[in-house]
Amino acid sequence: MKIEEALHMVGGAGENSYASNSRLQEKAILRTKDIVEKALTNIYGEVVPESLVVADLGCSSGPNAFLVISQIMGAVIGSKAKEIMFLLNDLPGNDFNTIFQSLSGYEKKFKKEKGDQVLPYYVAGVPGSFYGRLFPANSLHFAHSSYSLMWLSQAPVGLESGGVPLNKGNIYISKTSPPIVSRLYLQQFNRDFSTFLKLRSQELINGGQMVLSFLGRKSSDPSEAEVCHLWGLVAQALNSMVHEGLLKEEKVDTFNMPFYGASTDEVKQVIQSEGSFYLDQMQILESNWDPFDDSINEDQQVFDNVKSGENVAKCIRAVLEPLIVGHFGEAIVDQVFERYAKNVAMHLLKEKTKHVVFILALKTKKVKN
Amino acid sequence: MKIEEALHMVGGAGENSYASNSRLQEKAILRTKDIVEKALTNIYGEVVPESLVVADLGCSSGPNAFLVISQIMGAVIGSKAKEIMFLLNDLPGNDFNTIFQSLSGYEKKFKKEKGDQVLPYYVAGVPGSFYGRLFPANSLHFAHSSYSLMWLSQAPVGLESGGVPLNKGNIYISKTSPPIVSRLYLQQFNRDFSTFLKLRSQELINGGQMVLSFLGRKSSDPSEAEVCHLWGLVAQALNSMVHEGLLKEEKVDTFNMPFYGASTDEVKQVIQSEGSFYLDQMQILESNWDPFDDSINEDQQVFDNVKSGENVAKCIRAVLEPLIVGHFGEAIVDQVFERYAKNVAMHLLKEKTKHVVFILALKTKKVKN
């Protein structure tokens, strides 16, 4: 199954849906507010589009898709914009129907909150991978992407070469992975992020801006990244099921996350060598694994590790379930995430690991004819 | 329930879906080919958009949404267009997920048929009523709408005034309707079609064109329209269920189709008084009720009236089911359409009634600053 078909957030609005389990991503969006406002001010400093065209790349379904709309609508109040077109993009398997059917409810909410200041706005859904072209040339003023660019277009090519899985027992880079695994992951990230920048520079007008936030890592060694634990604990759940004869070992050996947590240097390197954008600003945020743990102290204790384990598992399930089901089938999915919740709980006793989120503001460099 | 929530084609790809029962609409799209080509040639005669932006208003889900894309892509081969953006619009209840998930299959098909001549194209889904604004000002080059504009924004206001239903026993204009019923329907059509034209003229660039096809009537008397039979036979099915105590009479009395089959004069009158468009061309087509009956002879015999009754019922069910369910509930829907199929079969013995389809090519009149 192609990643483009398998990778999407859990649809609908049920208990396991992304819509109900996306607080982590919500927090990241809220924390980009100032950067988004500055980017929009910059756009209006250079060009004066009466109709501002904004793309949200990897919009998902559920409240976060609307949070982005709401944030941008708030940011342009008082500017020269007269109307806004929002182009909400995600992979074709994303639940666009749920977004579209919830729009009128959100519209009422905006109008109640912001009254007459709300500009006329239009919404379209754009299905497709952002590693391909999505929009006509020079048609966007502002592109936004939150919690999406750590997803690769595919698991690195070469991890399964000649029928021999190189990353046995793992589903992502780990301390036990041979060095070539990290190299293949980095190569895939470089290709994908570079493609992303090139395509967006074609779609953005001269003077257009982007604000991107995605998971990264603080360490230069990719096997020491915080996300290695995140996926390592999923691998641990899968391996325990292999051990008990519930899953075939080769199924785990051939499953590799289409995901990469880059370092700041790796990100800057791609931006520079691709060459279409200036990096205007880069911030690093940290966010507790448990989306409901808002404590900001540096202390290494998690208050209730069992509850936090369950919270993390729910949040990861809303994102990972379609990929797990695509590779392993429907039957095992409940068990995987039950075991995962316990593994996370155990891990949090040892270390209050955090997500590392990069926020980038980028400006088009090109000079157009 | 608001019409905007209740009116949509049956989703998915199952036996009763619109996707499987839309041959009638397919035939109409195929018959607009020459007019669409001419309109596109006109656009390129006046403006030279490198990225052609095309809206399909009331796109539905299923193969017809792609047929429009395919037809327009075929028509621009060899023109100055370099890429095309398709904005597929329908009400928020339309099954956009199914469209989006089928896109890659259709893309393969186009490429196989048309080879390297296929221009790069992008697709977005735009949820909302076309009786409201859908797109930024001056953002469209070409708007297309097939088999949609006979749907009103709502059943005429006033048909149920003061708790007394004026159109007892009917669900549309019939010989037994009091004259005020026709007047209220015409007023609603005038308001809606006029709104549609005004909004589209705001969205289209100067020099932009529209091709619209929708059901109309040949007779000047609206109670003699061909569609009166179409809905009259649904009313007959509902009334027979009232008679047998399966449905409450008042439920039927308060159900009125949000639909109007206009005459050519009524259509021209709105275009002229609204004033934003020139009517470039108007054609009238006729299409057998049975979408699988392609015979074009004028003889009044239907070959197999029972089979044709079933075919018509399937086609109408794919369109009408959500409205029936919205008003009467889920339980009765199978019975309504079983009875309807029989009523149609009986009717076809008497008269081989046809759908009357108008095809209009319109050109923006405005002069912009």
Side-chain angles (χ1 to χ4, degrees), chain B residues 296-336:
Chain B
I296 48 164
N297 55 24
E298 283 306 309
D299 99 45
Q300 293 300 306
Q301 288 296 169
V302 168
F303 174 68
D304 179 345
N305 70 312
V306 174
K307 185 74 202 144
S308 281
E310 285 164 8
N311 291 343
V312 172
K314 274 193 164 184
C315 157
I316 295 300
R317 180 176 184 156
V319 172
L320 197 57
E321 183 178 309
L323 276 180
I324 294 280
V325 169
H327 189 83
F328 296 100
E330 191 80 45
I332 65 147
V333 71
D334 283 337
Q335 269 218 49
V336 171

Side-chain angles (χ1 to χ4, degrees), chain A residues 202-216:
Chain A
Q202 294 167 357
E203 293 163 351
L204 282 159
I205 58 148
N206 196 7
Q209 304 246 337
M210 290 206 285
V211 171
L212 312 175
S213 62
F214 52 89
L215 286 179

